[in-house]
């Protein structure tokens, strides 16, 4: 009789277990397609289930989410037809997200105007599991587009008078007095250990995200947020990830790709829900320089596209992944040589490396002003306010404009050149002459800059930094056990959590659970009755 009692109990437990398994029956959907970035097309595929976010461990890297995030980042540069939405909103709708919002408003403060242009897509999805409601919030930001964004990328910020002068030069003085403190000039730079341009933009994005959540997201649901971005947007996403990991009201996941460094904070690695995929050949991921203390928040997953992913890149794109790693390293060494410290970055210097004469000389001062200054303006002189000084020297009736500049000026020049398609269409030798026509720079620096631009032109920087290589890299598990992320692995859930989240989370499984309990109870009662007779 004892064995029959045990059999009845086991039968009930089997039915209960089946109900638990049924609760996790939301199978992942497979998504496939073709994406294009920088004229490089590649095939993609990934699996997605809402359960990945609801039940998944956000302190574990998961390649399927990472691949999806790469494509979401890539979609920011795609225009969706058929409605008023732009920046790839069709991609988010295909995943079941709704109330898709794109773009953001610029702040009124003139000194922060270079840090504002960062479009992002925000969407959400309400998921109900029995009595539990989950709001899944998906945020994807776009990378660098225009000159102001490039200037923001170069603007790490410093707590110095020299930097205050830079901001004051940028300030719009129309009927207003110019502020004299960092806090007044750039109120969105809330943490001075962070890169100023990225921090300002991240805070502006957070204002938009929080406003969106207040309007569209159910207040009584458990909030789960997924944040992603590549390049400049990766830096912004990296900082956003810290905001929401620190907020106990959210379960957050953050994946970045090709993100620059963002902070000098000593505890940057303590963030557990932020994963940054980094290609060793990607120059953008090396700046601002680690030699002056910059890094990313969270965990860096670093690999070489050349050594580990070249074959997969060829399979996805149909072209070879050829990246001049030595050229990238030389470019990094050149950039590293420009900056000795964060404080030194904005100091205007008069040494040989930071002084140049605009040639040829002119016999009439008005001719110099009419010809030279408009040429400088063509490379957006406003972006260089406070980064250089100029004066006119008279040598025996010949007038020459002399320029002294800061390391920040050189960096911004490089960034402006990198964003100028006319320049990139020229070879590295012609580049030096092209820049000298528009911008006074020391001839030695021109040669080094020409070498760096050559690396840009030959495609090494493009291939190393664009989404095709990062999509391929995202397929790697980077040493993480992917199965531990999946809700199907019931070992990661405690029994009480498993019953609450799974059994009572779906009415059908609750019925099965109840039936199992009833069957078990009846079986036990029959055994007892038989024994009494």
């Amino acid at each position: 009789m004892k064995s029959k009692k045990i059999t009845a109990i086991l039968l009930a437990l089997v039915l209960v277990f089946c109900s638990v398994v049924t609760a996790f029956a939301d199978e992942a959907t497979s998504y496939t397609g073709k994406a294009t970035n920088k004229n490089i097309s590649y095939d993609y595929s990934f699996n997605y289930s809402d359960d990945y976010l609801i039940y998944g461990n956000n302190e574990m890297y998961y390649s399927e989410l990472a691949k999806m995030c790469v494509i979401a980042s890539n979609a920011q540069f795609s225009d969706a037809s058929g409605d008023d939405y732009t920046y790839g909103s069709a991609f988010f709708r295909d995943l079941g997200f709704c109330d898709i919002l794109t773009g953001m408003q610029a702040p009124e403060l003139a000194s922060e105007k270079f840090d504002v242009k960062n479009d992002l897509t925000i969407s959400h999805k309400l998921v109900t599991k029995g009595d539990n409601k989950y709001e899944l919030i998906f945020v994807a930001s776009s990378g660098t587009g225009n000159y102001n964004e490039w200037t923001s990328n170069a603007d790490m910020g410093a707590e110095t008078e020299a930097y205050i002068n830079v901001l004051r030069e940028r300030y719009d003085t129309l009927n207003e007095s110019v502020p004299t403190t960092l806090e007044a000039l750039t109120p969105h730079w809330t943490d001075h250990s962070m890169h100023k341009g990225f921090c300002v933009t991240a805070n502006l994005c957070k204002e938009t995200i929080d406003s969106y959540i207040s309007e569209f997201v159910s207040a009584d649901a458990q909030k789960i947020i997924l944040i992603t971005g590549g390049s400049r947007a990766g830096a912004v996403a990296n900082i956003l990830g810290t905001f929401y990991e620190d907020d106990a009201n959210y379960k957050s996941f953050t994946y970045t790709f090709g993100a620059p460094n963002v902070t000098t904070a000593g505890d940057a690695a303590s963030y557990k829900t932020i994963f940054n995929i980094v290609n060793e050949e990607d120059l953008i991921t090396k700046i601002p320089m680690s030699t002056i203390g910059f890094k990313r928040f969270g965990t860096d997953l670093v690999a070489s596209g050349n050594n580990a992913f070249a074959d997969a890149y060829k399979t996805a794109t149909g072209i070879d992944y050829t990246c001049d790693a030595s050229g990238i390293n030389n470019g990094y060494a050149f950039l590293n040589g420009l900056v000795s410290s964060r404080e030194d970055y904005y100091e205007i210097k008069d040494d040989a490396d930071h002084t140049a004469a605009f040639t040829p000389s002119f016999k009439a001062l008005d001719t110099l002003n009419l010809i030279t200054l408009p040429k400088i303006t063509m490379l957006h002189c406003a972006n260089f306010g406070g980064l250089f000084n100029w004066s006119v020297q008279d040598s025996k009736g010949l007038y020459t404009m002399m320029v002294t500049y800061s390391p920040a000026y050189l960096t911004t020049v490089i960034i402006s050149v990198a964003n100028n398609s006319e320049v990139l269409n020229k070879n590295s030798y012609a580049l030096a002459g092209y820049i000298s026509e528009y911008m006074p720079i020391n001839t030695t620096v021109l040669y080094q800059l020409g070498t760096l631009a050559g690396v840009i032109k030959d495609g090494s920087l493009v291939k190393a930094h664009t989404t095709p290589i990062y999509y391929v890299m995202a397929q790697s598990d980077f040493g993480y056990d992917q199965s531990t992320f999946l809700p199907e692995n019931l070992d990661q859930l405690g029994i009480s959590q498993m019953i609450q989240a799974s059994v009572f989370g779906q009415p059908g499984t609750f019925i099965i659970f109840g039936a199992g309990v009833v069957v078990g109870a009846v079986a036990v009662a029959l055994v007892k009755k038989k024994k009494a007779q």
Side-chain angles (χ1 to χ4, degrees):
M1 292 301 175
K2 185 177 181 180
S3 61
K4 291 183 179 180
K5 181 178 180 180
I6 294 174
T7 300
I9 294 173
L10 288 176
L11 175 61
L13 291 176
V14 166
L15 289 173
V16 171
F17 178 77
C18 288
S19 71
V20 172
V21 174
T22 305
F24 287 112
D26 292 344
E27 294 185 1
T29 301
S30 179
Y31 295 84
T32 61
K34 183 180 288 291
T36 302
N37 186 235
K38 299 295 184 182
N39 296 319
I40 303 174
S41 296
Y42 58 103
D43 297 317
Y44 70 80
S45 66
F46 64 87
N47 298 319
Y48 173 73
S49 167
D50 294 334
D51 285 348
Y52 292 175
L53 299 178
I54 294 172
Y55 302 116
N57 182 352
N58 58 348
E59 296 186 5
M60 295 285 294
Y61 171 81
Y62 186 53
S63 61
E64 295 299 325
L65 272 186
K67 288 190 293 181
M68 181 182 77
C69 285
V70 173
I71 305 307
S73 298
N74 191 99
Q76 299 306 291
F77 299 97
S78 302
D79 185 27
S81 60
D83 56 26
D84 294 330
Y85 296 124
T86 56
Y87 298 101
S89 56
F91 175 81
F92 298 89
R93 287 197 303 273
D94 288 346
L95 293 171
F97 288 80
C98 64
D99 296 321
I100 301 166
L101 177 71
T102 64
M104 62 180 296
Q105 296 296 315
E108 297 179 358
L109 192 63
S111 66
E112 292 188 326
K113 64 184 178 181
F114 299 122
D115 303 317
V116 303
K117 186 65 171 66
N118 216 80
D119 292 312
L120 69 162
T121 299
I122 315 173
S123 58
H124 79 109
K125 177 194 295 190
L126 178 63
V127 179
T128 302
K129 301 276 189 179
D131 293 334
N132 296 323
K133 292 196 299 184
Y134 304 90
E135 279 280 13
L136 310 183
I137 306 157
F138 196 174
V139 177
S141 183
S142 64
T144 308
N146 62 22
Y147 275 103
N148 284 356
E149 290 175 333
W150 279 111
T151 302
S152 176
N153 294 346
D155 193 7
M156 69 177 75
E159 295 177 312
T160 64
E161 286 299 316
Y163 186 56
I164 290 177
N165 290 337
V166 170
L167 296 180
R168 286 171 61 84
E169 285 275 349
R170 294 177 179 175
Y171 203 85
D172 186 350
T173 59
L174 294 176
N175 301 318
E176 292 186 53
S177 60
V178 181
T180 58
T181 66
L182 276 178
E183 289 71 23
L185 285 162
T186 178
H188 287 93
W189 189 22
T190 53
D191 184 340
H192 290 182
S193 68
M194 293 186 191
H195 181 290
K196 181 260 182 180
F198 300 148
C199 181
V200 168
T201 303
N203 274 302
L204 293 169
C205 286
K206 187 174 189 299
E207 290 178 1
T208 302
I209 295 167
D210 289 346
S211 176
Y212 174 93
I213 290 172
S214 296
E215 181 176 356
F216 294 106
V217 172
S218 301
D220 60 344
Q222 299 178 45
K223 293 189 285 292
I224 303 172
I225 188 166
L226 172 62
I227 305 166
T228 190
S231 192
R232 167 182 168 84
V236 174
N238 186 265
I239 295 173
L240 286 172
T242 68
F243 295 159
Y244 291 100
E245 181 173 333
D246 287 338
D247 190 334
N249 294 311
Y250 291 85
K251 177 183 180 182
S252 65
F253 297 77
T254 302
Y255 289 83
T256 79
F257 314 94
N261 292 318
V262 302
T263 185
T264 58
D267 66 344
S270 66
Y271 285 89
K272 303 302 183 184
T273 67
I274 303 171
F275 295 96
N276 313 298
I277 300 183
V278 177
N279 182 5
E280 285 182 353
E281 288 95 47
D282 187 351
L283 181 62
I284 303 303
T285 64
K286 303 177 187 295
I287 53 178
M289 293 70 184
S290 60
T291 53
I292 58 174
F294 274 92
K295 66 203 79 170
R296 282 167 287 272
F297 290 106
T299 301
D300 283 357
L301 306 176
V302 184
S304 165
N306 274 336
N307 297 331
F309 299 100
D311 291 342
Y313 184 90
K314 179 68 175 287
T315 299
T317 65
I319 61 177
D320 292 325
Y321 178 80
T322 51
C323 181
D324 180 7
S326 62
I328 294 294
N329 290 334
N330 290 338
Y332 174 71
F334 166 50
L335 293 174
N336 194 45
L338 297 179
V339 185
S340 60
S341 71
R342 192 169 185 170
E343 292 70 28
D344 175 69
Y345 188 59
Y346 297 96
E347 294 287 344
I348 297 176
K349 304 176 185 301
D350 58 4
D351 57 41
D353 288 336
H354 297 84
T355 304
F358 197 97
T359 57
S361 300
F362 295 86
K363 292 183 179 180
L365 182 59
D366 59 347
T367 305
L368 174 64
N369 290 338
L370 287 173
I371 295 177
T372 303
L373 296 182
K375 285 185 176 180
I376 293 178
T377 304
M378 288 180 70
L379 274 185
H380 293 249
C381 183
N383 289 21
F384 304 109
L387 302 181
F388 71 93
N389 292 328
W390 65 275
S391 62
V392 176
Q393 294 185 355
D394 179 1
S395 177
K396 298 181 181 180
L398 293 178
Y399 297 95
T400 301
M401 187 175 76
M402 297 297 297
V403 177
T404 56
Y405 44 83
S406 63
Y409 172 87
L410 280 177
T411 304
T412 309
V413 167
I414 293 168
I415 281 176
S416 295
V417 169
N419 193 42
N420 190 318
S421 59
E422 184 177 355
V423 172
L424 293 182
N425 288 332
K426 300 176 180 294
N427 62 46
S428 60
Y429 295 102
L431 180 65
Y434 182 88
I435 297 173
S436 64
E437 182 182 355
Y438 291 91
M439 189 74 61
I441 301 177
N442 177 280
T443 54
T444 302
V445 174
L446 277 173
Y447 174 78
Q448 294 172 307
L449 180 55
T451 301
L452 177 60
V455 173
I456 298 173
K457 178 177 167 47
D458 75 9
S460 292
L461 182 58
V462 171
K463 289 182 180 178
H465 185 60
T466 48
T467 54
I469 187 61
Y470 279 104
Y471 166 75
V472 169
M473 292 178 68
Q475 298 179 54
S476 172
D477 61 16
F478 289 102
Y480 287 83
D481 182 358
Q482 302 294 282
S483 66
T484 62
F485 184 97
L486 297 173
E488 285 83 352
N489 186 337
L490 303 183
D491 292 340
Q492 68 176 303
L493 297 176
I495 293 299
S496 61
Q497 181 185 4
M498 184 166 58
I499 293 175
Q500 178 184 5
S502 305
V503 177
F504 295 100
Q506 299 184 19
T509 57
F510 176 77
I511 294 172
I512 297 174
F513 174 80
V517 173
V518 171
V519 169
V522 170
V524 170
L526 290 174
V527 170
K528 288 183 176 180
K529 182 178 180 181
K530 181 71 174 180
K531 186 177 181 180
Q533 293 175 349

